[in-house]
Amino acid sequence: MSALVDERTPERMPVPRKRRGPRAIGMAAGITAVLVALHVAAWRGAEMDLGMLAEGWHGMVRFVSEAIPPDLTWDPVVKDGLDACLVTLWIGLLGTTLSIPFTIVLCVLGTRATNGNAAVYQVARGIMSFLRAVPDVVFALVFVTAVGLGPFAGVLALICNNTGVMGKLWSEAMEEVDDGPAQALRIAGAGRTQLIAHAVLPACLPQLVGLVLYRLDVNVRSSLVLGLVGAGGIGFLINQSIQEFRFDQMLTYILMVLVLVVIVDLLSSFVRRRLAP
């Protein structure tokens, strides 16, 4: 019986090792040398000094000792912090949703699957690259000088930056769509708008919605940073508490931000799971 089993059991053959030639070994060594050189240059350029970090440990200990325990006074610390967290959430929400119309226009014009004009395609891609390259903090500083301090400047900054980032993500998703349904509609005489509405968008709609939820999560965190430059929200209170050396209040606001980010992340994950096929 055992002999029968042995005869029917296929013999495992050893997998031959892939031999690397001198050219492959030389290329790997060259890439490793370049990476090491880049990291050495970056280390020096960033003025990395572990000795300074070791010498400054007492400053960090003093900072932590002054921050713990957090100030949990209801009025004005916790109450103002909760109100500011809501403002931060509203900034991230509006910065995401209000950028969707501009994103649709740019990604439709900047996608080869939906736009055959090379000049318009390059212009749209250039606008997306510009909006994506300029940090949202820079946009916030510009809008603060235009509309003053407050969350309105933060919303405008997120709209600009998120349009560039989400336009790039959406355009890549639309270019990866199967061209079969679009070709069938094109043969049937459908126009460009019909191709977009009935072939391209339905095929990638779940992915586009998932990207919107991902950007909402990111924008809520970004709105915290925008508050540091006067765009309102919980970031403004954190900056104010640091300037006043009230590190216990700062820790309270940071804990509130942590709870807010976790809640937004859980809600986004829940919606993404419901939308998954």
Side-chain angles (χ1 to χ4, degrees):
M1 182 68 180
S2 59
L4 181 61
V5 172
D6 292 338
E7 290 179 358
R8 293 181 178 179
T9 302
E11 183 180 358
R12 294 184 178 181
M13 301 297 293
V15 179
R17 294 183 178 181
K18 184 178 180 180
R19 297 182 179 180
R20 298 183 178 181
R23 183 178 179 181
I25 296 175
M27 182 177 296
I31 293 175
T32 303
V34 170
L35 290 175
V36 171
L38 288 175
H39 281 77
V40 171
W43 185 276
R44 294 178 178 176
E47 300 180 359
M48 300 287 290
D49 190 348
L50 298 180
M52 294 179 61
L53 178 62
E55 294 175 359
W57 67 269
H58 52 83
M60 293 186 292
V61 171
R62 185 177 68 253
F63 178 84
V64 173
S65 63
E66 293 179 0
I68 298 176
D71 187 356
L72 300 179
T73 306
W74 171 255
D75 193 8
V77 179
V78 177
K79 180 177 180 297
D80 291 350
L82 292 176
D83 293 338
C85 281
L86 282 178
V87 173
T88 299
L89 179 62
W90 304 149
I91 294 174
L93 177 64
L94 292 178
T96 303
T97 56
L98 295 183
S99 65
I100 291 178
F102 307 104
T103 301
I104 293 175
V105 174
L106 284 178
C107 72
V108 167
L109 297 178
T111 304
R112 291 188 177 90
T114 56
N115 180 28
N117 191 312
V120 175
Y121 171 83
Q122 293 298 335
V123 170
R125 300 293 290 193
I127 295 175
M128 285 189 290
S129 298
F130 170 76
L131 296 176
R132 190 171 65 254
V134 179
D136 47 14
V137 175
V138 176
F139 280 123
L141 291 172
V142 173
F143 286 119
V144 162
T145 60
V147 301
L149 299 174
F152 184 33
V155 173
L156 295 176
L158 286 182
I159 289 175
C160 293
N161 182 259
N162 195 66
T163 298
V165 175
M166 202 157 63
K168 176 71 161 48
L169 297 175
W170 277 22
S171 61
E172 291 180 350
M174 293 171 67
E175 286 184 348
E176 294 175 358
V177 171
D178 183 15
D179 195 42
Q183 290 287 356
L185 289 176
R186 194 176 291 111
I187 294 174
R192 188 170 300 277
T193 304
Q194 293 174 318
L195 292 177
I196 297 172
H198 299 287
V200 179
L201 288 180
C204 60
L205 186 60
Q207 187 175 359
L208 300 185
V209 174
L211 291 173
V212 170
L213 295 174
Y214 165 73
R215 288 302 304 174
L216 173 62
D217 187 16
V218 173
N219 287 333
V220 170
R221 305 182 192 193
S222 298
S223 60
L224 165 65
V225 181
L226 299 182
L228 300 177
V229 296
I234 192 70
F236 179 78
L237 294 182
I238 292 176
N239 187 33
Q240 187 179 40
S241 61
I242 292 175
Q243 292 178 352
E244 296 176 354
F245 299 99
R246 293 300 308 270
F247 302 122
D248 53 345
Q249 294 182 6
M250 179 206 67
L251 180 58
T252 302
Y253 297 141
I254 290 177
L255 293 176
M256 289 182 176
V257 170
L258 175 62
V259 174
L260 176 63
V261 169
V262 170
I263 292 175
V264 173
D265 183 59
L266 291 176
L267 290 176
S268 299
S269 300
F270 173 76
V271 176
R272 281 195 294 267
R273 287 196 302 267
R274 295 299 297 267
L275 293 175

